[in-house]
Amino acid sequence: MKILPPTPENIRIVAEALRQGDVVGMPTETVYGLAGVAFNPSALARIFETKERPTFDPLIIHVAPAMGARTITDLARLKLVDRSALQKPAQELADRLLGQLWPGPFTLVLPKLPDVPDLATSGLPTVALRMPKHPVAQALIEAAGAPLAAPSANRFGRISPTSAQDVQDEIGDRISYCLDGGRCEVGLESTVVSLDSFGRLTLLRPGGTPQSKIESIAGTPLLVAALPSAGAQVAPGMLESHYAPRKPMKLLSAPLSTLSDEQLKAEIRSGVGILLLSGESRAAAERISRVCGVRATVRTLSETGDLAEAARNLFAEMRAMDAMDVNVILAEPSTVQHGLGHAIGDRLRRASAKRLDG
Ligand code: TXA
Ligand code: MG
């Protein structure tokens, strides 16, 4: 894979590849996406194949300001949204949300038109839409001349990429290009909210846009999608993995009785990695190696406990831990339940529950 600086010439090259049905790495302000033309089913199939993502997990379709995608009337003109499936108050609410939260880390799930391929929506009657704020994403969508479907550019179940190098490490052997837009400013994915025909809003995924901001625009509290229970799948992307213990499980390379002492030592390294939300916990973390007698590697998401900084560093630090000589990663839960604290807590919980999400 070539990492390309976002010059006008390179944006033209990558847009042409998209028009030919290729899939490419695209920077956004949240995380890097693996983009393909949303109306091209074979490009969509390549996205799922490249990520090894199951096709029951639908994609987010990205639009740009240059398309004039400001209201749901515009989104209907772009053959994405079935405006008539929404009652008048729901139409007005959608326009208000898009008017105030786009471009930005906000994804709205709306009734779709038949023109949107089933592969983009996993056969659902709805489509997830977002207008990214990153200028390179906007320029690429405009140059491609079509909305782009883009999940995060990681292999399924892995950490989302927040730099072009992360994309290289994840899927660099599978795609031709990634535009380099620098490190992602937000660092975790968009907030996903669905709107039904009556104007009810449901939070499907906490993310870069605080829930309170959406609620103050809507003037009502969001419904929160219940976690799946008793085998029921409430919404795509919300599956809990069934067999994952809470701690990372490590499979030994061979039956225990056949491992030499040397091999055993190599397999069972006692190092733990400790992910702190703020510098405040450092002394407590140092206590672990003393009390438990193990080597502890400490990384801090934000020295001052600043949530925006912690969100920006979250995935990069998780990746760094993955690459270190530690057996178990211990993460502090987020005690802040609102705004980015909610989104950070959600990602930490999912990472430790080994949730199925792409
Ligand atoms: O910040 C982001 O949103 C990033 C960047 C690249 O824009 N994209 C991203 O896409 O996170 P992805 O595919 O990893 O997450 C899409 C999630 C799905 O897992 C699902 O939960 C939800 O959005 N989703 C998409 N379409 C939906 C639909 N029709 N109904 C309900 N949920 C949907
Ligand atoms: Mg993802």
Side-chain angles (χ1 to χ4, degrees):
M1 178 190 97
K2 281 192 196 144
I3 295 180
L4 300 175
T7 60
E9 173 60 11
N10 284 338
I11 288 171
R12 263 197 303 279
I13 291 170
V14 177
E16 179 54 28
L18 283 168
R19 277 195 297 272
Q20 299 298 320
D22 217 344
V23 295
V24 303
M26 170 176 79
T28 85
E29 74 279 23
T30 57
V31 299
Y32 275 68
L34 174 63
V37 169
F39 292 119
N40 180 344
S42 72
L44 299 174
R46 286 195 61 188
I47 291 176
F48 285 100
E49 189 184 294
T50 305
K51 275 183 69 89
E52 297 167 38
R53 172 164 165 151
T55 51
F56 59 72
D57 205 5
L59 306 172
I60 295 173
I61 296 182
H62 298 67
V63 295
M67 297 173 158
R70 278 269 149 218
T71 64
I72 53 168
T73 308
D74 299 326
L75 295 171
R77 179 176 44 79
L78 291 167
K79 307 221 178 303
L80 293 165
V81 169
D82 182 5
R83 196 170 169 274
S84 69
L86 296 173
Q87 295 185 3
K88 192 91 190 180
Q91 294 179 1
E92 285 166 7
L93 177 54
D95 283 345
R96 216 160 57 235
L97 291 166
L98 301 186
Q100 294 188 48
L101 297 174
W102 277 8
F106 175 71
T107 296
L108 193 57
V109 176
L110 293 167
K112 83 172 188 87
L113 283 173
D115 307 71
V116 181
D118 276 341
L119 208 44
T121 64
S122 304
L124 292 167
T126 52
V127 58
L129 294 158
R130 174 164 115 79
M131 182 189 281
K133 197 170 185 174
H134 200 297
V136 177
Q138 293 186 355
L140 183 62
I141 297 164
E142 185 184 356
L148 299 180
S152 49
N154 51 282
R155 276 171 289 144
F156 184 68
R158 295 251 323 145
I159 304 165
S160 302
T162 51
S163 71
Q165 185 58 48
D166 292 347
V167 177
Q168 175 78 270
D169 295 344
E170 284 289 325
I171 53 170
D173 55 338
R174 302 173 184 187
I175 61 173
S176 307
Y177 305 116
C178 179
L179 286 167
D180 190 352
R183 271 196 71 183
C184 298
E185 193 186 321
V186 177
L188 46 73
E189 296 86 347
S190 61
T191 302
V192 182
V193 169
S194 70
L195 176 68
D196 72 10
S197 57
F198 305 107
R200 284 178 302 218
L201 292 168
T202 303
L203 178 69
L204 299 179
R205 178 177 76 183
T209 299
Q211 183 175 344
S212 59
K213 195 164 171 184
I214 301 165
E215 290 176 335
S216 79
I217 294 167
T220 52
L222 300 185
L223 305 168
V224 176
L227 284 174
S229 59
Q233 188 186 346
V234 174
M238 298 188 71
L239 287 179
E240 291 278 359
S241 139
H242 280 185
Y243 306 113
R246 292 207 72 78
K247 277 189 196 161
M249 190 167 83
K250 182 176 155 62
L251 196 61
L252 295 173
S253 63
L256 205 46
S257 57
T258 67
L259 293 177
S260 68
D261 283 358
E262 277 312 303
Q263 285 171 318
L264 204 58
K265 264 192 239 158
E267 297 247 355
I268 306 169
R269 291 169 296 209
S270 56
V272 294
I274 303 168
L275 213 50
L276 299 180
L277 290 168
S278 80
E280 227 167 65
S281 313
R282 178 139 325 104
E286 275 152 14
R287 212 188 63 212
I288 290 186
S289 48
R290 195 161 28 85
V291 172
C292 307
V294 296
R295 182 170 41 78
T297 306
V298 179
R299 307 278 295 199
T300 307
L301 297 183
S302 164
E303 205 45 52
T304 58
D306 176 66
L307 289 174
E309 186 184 20
R312 197 151 52 231
N313 290 330
L314 176 68
F315 289 145
E317 289 297 341
M318 281 168 56
R319 260 173 207 284
M321 281 285 188
D322 252 356
M324 279 176 197
D325 188 16
V326 301
N327 258 5
V328 181
I329 301 168
L330 305 175
E332 280 192 300
S334 171
T335 51
V336 182
Q337 303 300 336
H338 57 264
L340 286 172
H342 185 194
I344 292 169
D346 172 79
R347 299 306 186 275
L348 288 172
R349 190 175 50 74
R350 298 216 241 175
S352 40
K354 290 214 179 98
R355 259 177 81 130
L356 285 174
D357 193 8

